[in-house]
Amino acid sequence: MSNDIQAKIASFTSIEEALDYFDIGYASKFINENRIELVKRFNGYLILEKPQDWFAARRALKNAYCKVQRSKLDKHTRQACRGCTTCQRR
């Protein structure tokens, strides 16, 4: 099963395809501004732990999206995440 999900991930030609496949809402403006960092973070999570199924791969992508988004927030205020419609850290 893990080979199937890894092959599917390898077939994506853009991060938007991955976000759509894993049913993760996103802001196009955020993706355009942070595409490279998001792709690197997602690939890093996939290297650290090979996803065994759709849910594990989705979790890796959600974590990457959220991590990039939270890194852009002001560290000195209690600013909430914005743009990630599936964020679990609200």
Side-chain angles (χ1 to χ4, degrees), residues 16-75:
E16 289 90 348
E17 282 183 41
L19 289 162
D20 289 338
Y21 177 75
F22 292 114
D23 195 28
I24 297 174
Y26 60 92
S28 297
K29 181 180 179 205
F30 179 81
I31 297 298
N32 291 335
E33 292 171 357
N34 302 288
R35 179 179 310 276
I36 293 171
E37 187 177 354
L38 180 58
V39 170
K40 284 181 179 180
R41 174 84 49 191
F42 179 46
N43 287 333
Y45 285 154
L46 294 177
I47 290 170
L48 288 173
E49 186 175 335
K50 299 280 187 230
Q52 297 301 312
D53 57 15
W54 184 89
F55 296 101
R58 182 177 193 265
R59 188 169 35 259
L61 182 54
K62 279 180 67 172
N63 289 342
Y65 189 97
C66 200
K67 178 76 171 179
V68 170
Q69 183 178 27
R70 285 183 294 126
S71 73
K72 304 297 179 194
L73 298 176
D74 185 359
K75 308 280 189 267

